[in-house]
Amino acid sequence: MSNLDEIIKSRRDTRHFTSDAIPDEVIQKALQAGHHAPSVGLTDATKYYLIKSDEIKKAVKELFLDYDQKAANLTDDELQKLQYKSLKLEAIEEAPLGLVICYDRSVLNNFTIGTVGSNEAIKFSAVCAAQNIWLSLTEQGYSMGWVSILNYYQFKQLLGLPDNIEPLGYFCVGKPATNYDNQPMLQQLNWKQKQENPIVEEILVSTPVVLESLRGTKQSHSSDSIISEALQQKIDSKTKPTSSLGVLESLAKQIGTVFQTLEPKITNPNIVVFAADHGIANHGVSAYPQDVTRQMVTNFLEGGAAINVFCKQNNIALTIVDAGVNYDFPTNVNLVSAKIGKGTQSFLHGSAMRKTELDLCFAKGKEIVNSVFETGCNCIGFGEMGIGNTSTASVLMSILLELPIEDCVGNGTGVVDEKLIQKQNVLKKALENYDGPNDLESKLAYFGGFEIMQMAGGILQAKQNNMLILVDGFICTVAFLIAYKMNPAIKENAIFCHSSAEQGHQKILDYLNVRALLQLDLRLGEGTGCAVAFPIIQSAVCFLNEMASFESAGVNSRQL
């Protein structure tokens, strides 16, 4: 074949191969075609691994079979499940050669042309390379089959790939045993018909995005004074000296007022941990590399982190959200995908995100909280994970409270001495470099983090749903501060669970004129402060609902 159109039309996702060996020159020509594919910023981030070992092929096949069964269980009905199981979706052991096409995420550790809009551009380059290889093999009388039904985490471990190398999948390579009647195999087997023509639509009008969460947020009215007075009377009538339960009494009154009842009950409590990466982390502001975000999210999913332990201890549901981690997690893990991008850009020399992305953050945060609310949850805690996010939070605090950055910056993940001074200098320089508009929306987009803005949107929605809002440490309190600037009434629903070891945290609490429940020098994040404080919150509800009154116990209140 010499006509490009014919080659493109003849390319097939092949699942049936002959046992013919593949000449080395065929593979080399195909890989060279992949090398000629577009490469964002000429990074050469695409990597190739050849697999001829029967032992490795067998191990990859076992990974496929495990996930193939999970895929079958996701079908809509028994008939579809039978149809699915009848499909041949791989030829891992039959094909003479296995090819793993990967991309190297480590190129993002340095400035790379073409990745400012989307870090995924390096992955797109690898996909272009895969297509070139496919077309070259087709032209030479060979073909490829793409196997993506795998646990990618286990797949990487099996192949011994380093953390920064991400596979597109496993590709079976060989001489095709059939031409599938010159049509895609799934179409030939009547699984689905491919549309005859591409879907094309011209955009004629540019529609400006309005950040609804910053404009026109509904203000809540003050709680009904009648229920507040009734709660106070009920609290004072308990068999105890007046105010002797201290903070528990004010907690009980607050919770009863939020739920507008003398017998409040917390149902299906849930802590939501939002995770994302930050471009500013590439400037040495953290004691840990950016990839720790991905590692910790994996730890959350595997149940090994502090927040997992404390939630399990206190019977709290845990929701993990990928708000913008620089990693592609498997699609079947128990993770809420709300990824805006693979981390923000560095705000040292430019905007962390676009205003459209800021708008999307608020929308995603609200959507996530609504989905939690629909489970019957009336008490939601907010937590976060993201290397570099104390830097982002410090800058946002400096802007929101008009304080010098030195008064806002803390140790974060453990930055001390010269590294702390460097962190302060980097953030001070970033603030000095800003020459954009003076409105809050523009500054939030320029200096924001995906997880912080999703939390802010979520907090606003939690108030709209009249949920009890548990606020964790420094970063979550900055997210609360952003939401508070838009709707001060959210403070009525908020419980500030602890005052952290970050110097800026207590300053924000003082500004809000609120008192934290605990002082334990925590600075872990993850929502751990919410989980640890939860039993105290439950104690406030329990005494209000279950403790005897002077009248019911037959106790003379004048004797106390």
Side-chain angles (χ1 to χ4, degrees):
M1 279 180 282
S2 59
N3 184 283
L4 179 59
D5 285 339
E6 290 180 10
I7 296 170
I8 291 173
K9 291 176 183 177
S10 300
R11 186 211 59 80
R12 292 285 174 266
D13 192 7
T14 303
R15 308 300 187 187
H16 300 81
F17 295 93
T18 70
S19 59
D20 297 353
I22 309 172
D24 288 342
E25 55 268 25
V26 171
I27 295 300
Q28 292 305 316
K29 183 177 180 181
L31 293 178
Q32 194 64 42
H35 189 60
H36 287 314
S39 172
V40 62
L42 292 182
T43 53
D44 284 337
T46 307
K47 311 291 181 185
Y48 308 99
Y49 298 89
L50 301 178
I51 296 176
K52 300 178 181 178
S53 163
D54 290 338
E55 181 181 355
I56 296 177
K57 289 179 182 178
K58 181 179 179 181
V60 174
K61 176 67 174 285
E62 289 174 356
L63 286 183
F64 166 82
L65 291 174
D66 179 46
Y67 262 41
D68 186 52
Q69 182 59 50
K70 290 175 177 162
N73 293 336
L74 294 174
T75 50
D76 295 331
D77 50 51
E78 284 302 315
L79 176 59
Q80 190 181 50
K81 181 181 287 187
L82 289 173
Q83 290 175 324
Y84 176 83
K85 287 185 174 181
S86 69
L87 299 174
K88 181 174 174 56
L89 298 178
E90 53 77 35
I92 296 169
E93 293 184 290
E94 299 96 308
L97 178 68
L99 172 64
V100 183
I101 304 175
C102 305
Y103 60 98
D104 183 356
R105 287 189 300 110
S106 69
V107 301
L108 294 170
N109 292 336
N110 301 304
F111 174 71
T112 303
I113 293 174
T115 62
V116 174
S118 171
N119 288 338
E120 290 189 302
I122 58 167
K123 177 167 70 174
F124 302 156
S125 296
V127 173
C128 289
Q131 180 73 333
N132 269 20
I133 292 169
W134 228 323
L135 295 175
S136 175
L137 287 169
T138 302
E139 190 271 336
Q140 297 179 79
Y142 293 82
S143 190
M144 222 164 50
W146 193 340
V147 181
S148 59
I149 305 175
L150 299 164
N151 180 314
Y152 275 61
Y153 177 73
Q154 293 177 336
F155 185 48
K156 285 180 62 173
Q157 284 189 317
L158 172 66
L159 301 180
L161 299 179
D163 283 344
N164 56 292
I165 299 296
E166 301 295 342
L168 297 179
Y170 182 95
F171 294 83
C172 306
V173 184
K175 183 175 281 294
T178 175
N179 67 357
Y180 302 108
D181 289 342
N182 288 318
Q183 58 183 312
M185 183 192 71
L186 294 180
Q187 181 170 311
Q188 181 196 31
L189 297 176
N190 296 315
W191 176 265
K192 189 175 182 180
Q193 295 300 306
K194 188 177 181 69
Q195 295 190 72
E196 186 174 346
N197 297 307
I199 301 171
V200 182
E201 182 178 351
E202 182 181 359
I203 297 175
L204 298 174
V205 180
S206 175
T207 305
V209 177
V210 177
L211 188 55
E212 295 179 0
S213 52
L214 290 179
R215 301 171 186 166
T217 302
K218 292 183 179 178
Q219 300 295 309
S220 297
H221 298 291
S222 299
S223 299
D224 190 346
S225 60
I226 296 176
I227 191 72
S228 180
E229 291 173 6
L231 281 163
Q232 189 62 59
Q233 184 177 358
K234 182 178 181 180
I235 291 168
D236 291 342
S237 70
K238 297 295 183 180
T239 51
K240 60 174 182 60
T242 302
S243 302
S244 59
L245 283 178
V247 174
L248 290 181
E249 296 190 21
S250 57
L251 261 182
K253 184 177 180 181
Q254 178 189 4
I255 295 169
T257 303
V258 167
F259 295 145
Q260 292 287 286
T261 177
L262 296 177
E263 297 180 352
K265 182 180 180 182
I266 292 176
T267 58
N268 299 332
N270 196 315
I271 292 177
V272 184
V273 180
F274 294 79
D277 278 307
H278 296 251
I280 196 66
N282 293 323
H283 301 286
V285 296
S286 173
Y288 294 93
Q290 188 185 80
D291 198 47
V292 170
T293 306
R294 186 270 307 172
Q295 293 170 4
M296 281 305 301
V297 171
T298 301
N299 193 22
F300 297 152
L301 298 175
E302 294 177 350
I307 188 59
N308 299 96
V309 172
F310 296 142
C311 282
K312 183 178 179 181
Q313 174 193 10
N314 296 309
N315 198 27
I316 304 169
L318 179 62
T319 301
I320 309 299
V321 176
D322 175 8
V325 181
N326 187 13
Y327 185 75
D328 290 313
F329 293 98
T331 56
N332 63 332
V333 294
N334 191 20
L335 178 71
V336 176
S337 179
K339 193 188 292 289
I340 307 298
K342 289 193 171 180
T344 57
Q345 302 301 315
S346 170
F347 55 67
L348 182 59
H349 299 297
S351 183
M353 66 180 85
R354 299 185 296 272
K355 286 187 179 181
T356 52
E357 291 176 319
L358 178 64
D359 181 51
L360 188 57
C361 281
F362 276 84
K364 291 279 189 183
K366 291 182 176 184
E367 179 183 326
I368 290 163
V369 168
N370 273 336
S371 66
V372 171
F373 178 66
E374 288 169 1
T375 67
C377 169
N378 67 357
C379 176
I380 185 169
F382 289 85
E384 45 62 41
M385 174 63 213
I387 295 301
N389 64 4
T390 56
S391 294
T392 300
S394 297
V395 171
L396 291 170
M397 173 188 171
S398 174
I399 292 168
L400 290 164
L401 299 188
E402 298 181 349
L403 292 174
I405 190 65
E406 292 84 358
D407 292 348
C408 306
V409 175
N411 300 117
T413 51
V415 176
V416 295
D417 301 329
E418 294 86 359
K419 291 284 287 182
L420 180 58
I421 295 172
Q422 178 189 346
K423 180 179 179 180
Q424 291 177 348
N425 290 338
V426 168
L427 301 183
K428 187 175 182 179
K429 182 66 174 175
L431 284 165
E432 291 172 352
N433 287 345
Y434 180 71
D435 59 358
N438 198 38
D439 62 286
L440 177 59
E441 182 180 334
S442 296
K443 290 181 178 179
L444 291 180
Y446 194 94
F447 293 105
F450 293 142
E451 83 282 30
I452 295 174
M453 298 308 158
Q454 286 194 17
M455 282 194 292
I459 289 168
L460 288 169
Q461 188 60 45
K463 170 61 178 175
Q464 192 75 17
N465 295 342
N466 200 39
M467 304 168 81
L468 204 59
I469 301 168
L470 309 187
V471 185
D472 191 35
F474 174 56
I475 295 148
C476 290
T477 307
V478 168
F480 181 89
L481 182 61
I482 294 167
Y484 175 80
K485 291 288 186 178
M486 304 169 195
N487 181 7
I490 63 172
K491 198 167 76 168
E492 299 165 0
N493 292 55
I495 296 175
F496 297 85
C497 295
H498 75 107
S499 177
S500 80
E502 284 290 302
Q503 68 149 337
H505 192 197
Q506 187 58 50
K507 291 185 177 73
I508 302 176
L509 297 177
D510 291 342
Y511 171 82
L512 292 169
N513 193 27
V514 294
R515 178 179 177 182
L517 290 183
L518 301 172
Q519 173 61 66
L520 299 175
D521 289 337
L522 303 177
R523 55 180 179 86
L524 176 59
E526 304 177 8
T528 48
C530 300
V532 171
F534 187 71
I536 297 174
I537 298 167
Q538 285 282 49
S539 295
V541 173
C542 284
F543 103 76
L544 180 64
N545 290 335
E546 300 177 22
M547 186 176 177
S549 67
F550 287 113
E551 183 179 358
S552 67
V555 175
N556 189 338
S557 62
R558 287 175 291 183
Q559 293 178 345
L560 292 179

PDB file of all heavy atoms in Angstrom, residues 546-557:
ATOM      1  N   GLU A 546     -29.700  13.460  75.519  1.00  0.00           N
ATOM      2  CA  GLU A 546     -29.851  12.325  76.428  1.00  0.00           C
ATOM      3  C   GLU A 546     -29.673  12.671  77.906  1.00  0.00           C
ATOM      4  O   GLU A 546     -30.114  11.906  78.770  1.00  0.00           O
ATOM      5  CB  GLU A 546     -28.853  11.230  76.034  1.00  0.00           C
ATOM      6  CG  GLU A 546     -29.055  10.721  74.614  1.00  0.00           C
ATOM      7  CD  GLU A 546     -28.009   9.693  74.196  1.00  0.00           C
ATOM      8  OE1 GLU A 546     -27.400   9.073  75.097  1.00  0.00           O
ATOM      9  OE2 GLU A 546     -27.802   9.520  72.982  1.00  0.00           O
ATOM     10  N   MET A 547     -29.035  13.758  78.214  1.00  0.00           N
ATOM     11  CA  MET A 547     -28.804  14.108  79.620  1.00  0.00           C
ATOM     12  C   MET A 547     -30.121  14.533  80.272  1.00  0.00           C
ATOM     13  O   MET A 547     -30.943  15.234  79.667  1.00  0.00           O
ATOM     14  CB  MET A 547     -27.779  15.254  79.690  1.00  0.00           C
ATOM     15  CG  MET A 547     -27.328  15.616  81.086  1.00  0.00           C
ATOM     16  SD  MET A 547     -26.023  16.893  80.973  1.00  0.00           S
ATOM     17  CE  MET A 547     -25.747  17.186  82.717  1.00  0.00           C
ATOM     18  N   ALA A 548     -30.309  14.105  81.501  1.00  0.00           N
ATOM     19  CA  ALA A 548     -31.553  14.407  82.206  1.00  0.00           C
ATOM     20  C   ALA A 548     -31.646  15.890  82.545  1.00  0.00           C
ATOM     21  O   ALA A 548     -30.638  16.579  82.721  1.00  0.00           O
ATOM     22  CB  ALA A 548     -31.629  13.584  83.491  1.00  0.00           C
ATOM     23  N   SER A 549     -32.871  16.349  82.638  1.00  0.00           N
ATOM     24  CA  SER A 549     -33.111  17.715  83.112  1.00  0.00           C
ATOM     25  C   SER A 549     -33.343  17.674  84.616  1.00  0.00           C
ATOM     26  O   SER A 549     -33.568  16.604  85.208  1.00  0.00           O
ATOM     27  CB  SER A 549     -34.333  18.313  82.409  1.00  0.00           C
ATOM     28  OG  SER A 549     -35.505  17.609  82.806  1.00  0.00           O
ATOM     29  N   PHE A 550     -33.303  18.834  85.239  1.00  0.00           N
ATOM     30  CA  PHE A 550     -33.569  18.882  86.679  1.00  0.00           C
ATOM     31  C   PHE A 550     -34.954  18.305  86.982  1.00  0.00           C
ATOM     32  O   PHE A 550     -35.149  17.553  87.943  1.00  0.00           O
ATOM     33  CB  PHE A 550     -33.498  20.335  87.172  1.00  0.00           C
ATOM     34  CG  PHE A 550     -32.094  20.885  87.229  1.00  0.00           C
ATOM     35  CD1 PHE A 550     -31.699  21.912  86.384  1.00  0.00           C
ATOM     36  CD2 PHE A 550     -31.177  20.378  88.127  1.00  0.00           C
ATOM     37  CE1 PHE A 550     -30.421  22.424  86.441  1.00  0.00           C
ATOM     38  CE2 PHE A 550     -29.891  20.886  88.199  1.00  0.00           C
ATOM     39  CZ  PHE A 550     -29.499  21.919  87.353  1.00  0.00           C
ATOM     40  N   GLU A 551     -35.898  18.624  86.136  1.00  0.00           N
ATOM     41  CA  GLU A 551     -37.267  18.181  86.364  1.00  0.00           C
ATOM     42  C   GLU A 551     -37.406  16.678  86.226  1.00  0.00           C
ATOM     43  O   GLU A 551     -37.999  16.001  87.081  1.00  0.00           O
ATOM     44  CB  GLU A 551     -38.207  18.897  85.393  1.00  0.00           C
ATOM     45  CG  GLU A 551     -39.673  18.553  85.610  1.00  0.00           C
ATOM     46  CD  GLU A 551     -40.582  19.305  84.651  1.00  0.00           C
ATOM     47  OE1 GLU A 551     -40.066  20.123  83.848  1.00  0.00           O
ATOM     48  OE2 GLU A 551     -41.806  19.079  84.701  1.00  0.00           O
ATOM     49  N   SER A 552     -36.826  16.115  85.124  1.00  0.00           N
ATOM     50  CA  SER A 552     -36.974  14.673  84.898  1.00  0.00           C
ATOM     51  C   SER A 552     -36.214  13.847  85.918  1.00  0.00           C
ATOM     52  O   SER A 552     -36.611  12.729  86.247  1.00  0.00           O
ATOM     53  CB  SER A 552     -36.509  14.317  83.477  1.00  0.00           C
ATOM     54  OG  SER A 552     -35.108  14.523  83.353  1.00  0.00           O
ATOM     55  N   ALA A 553     -35.112  14.395  86.445  1.00  0.00           N
ATOM     56  CA  ALA A 553     -34.302  13.650  87.414  1.00  0.00           C
ATOM     57  C   ALA A 553     -34.733  13.909  88.851  1.00  0.00           C
ATOM     58  O   ALA A 553     -34.229  13.272  89.784  1.00  0.00           O
ATOM     59  CB  ALA A 553     -32.827  14.021  87.246  1.00  0.00           C
ATOM     60  N   GLY A 554     -35.629  14.850  89.030  1.00  0.00           N
ATOM     61  CA  GLY A 554     -36.069  15.181  90.369  1.00  0.00           C
ATOM     62  C   GLY A 554     -34.987  15.831  91.210  1.00  0.00           C
ATOM     63  O   GLY A 554     -34.913  15.624  92.431  1.00  0.00           O
ATOM     64  N   VAL A 555     -34.111  16.603  90.543  1.00  0.00           N
ATOM     65  CA  VAL A 555     -32.994  17.274  91.224  1.00  0.00           C
ATOM     66  C   VAL A 555     -33.354  18.734  91.432  1.00  0.00           C
ATOM     67  O   VAL A 555     -33.867  19.399  90.519  1.00  0.00           O
ATOM     68  CB  VAL A 555     -31.689  17.154  90.412  1.00  0.00           C
ATOM     69  CG1 VAL A 555     -30.566  17.954  91.078  1.00  0.00           C
ATOM     70  CG2 VAL A 555     -31.294  15.698  90.269  1.00  0.00           C
ATOM     71  N   ASN A 556     -33.061  19.238  92.605  1.00  0.00           N
ATOM     72  CA  ASN A 556     -33.311  20.645  92.914  1.00  0.00           C
ATOM     73  C   ASN A 556     -32.183  21.491  92.349  1.00  0.00           C
ATOM     74  O   ASN A 556     -31.043  21.408  92.816  1.00  0.00           O
ATOM     75  CB  ASN A 556     -33.413  20.844  94.428  1.00  0.00           C
ATOM     76  CG  ASN A 556     -33.882  22.243  94.793  1.00  0.00           C
ATOM     77  OD1 ASN A 556     -33.754  23.191  94.005  1.00  0.00           O
ATOM     78  ND2 ASN A 556     -34.441  22.378  95.981  1.00  0.00           N
ATOM     79  N   SER A 557     -32.488  22.298  91.350  1.00  0.00           N
ATOM     80  CA  SER A 557     -31.448  23.091  90.683  1.00  0.00           C
ATOM     81  C   SER A 557     -30.819  24.116  91.622  1.00  0.00           C
ATOM     82  O   SER A 557     -29.684  24.541  91.420  1.00  0.00           O
ATOM     83  CB  SER A 557     -32.024  23.790  89.450  1.00  0.00           C
ATOM     84  OG  SER A 557     -33.053  24.677  89.841  1.00  0.00           O
TER      85      SER A 557
END
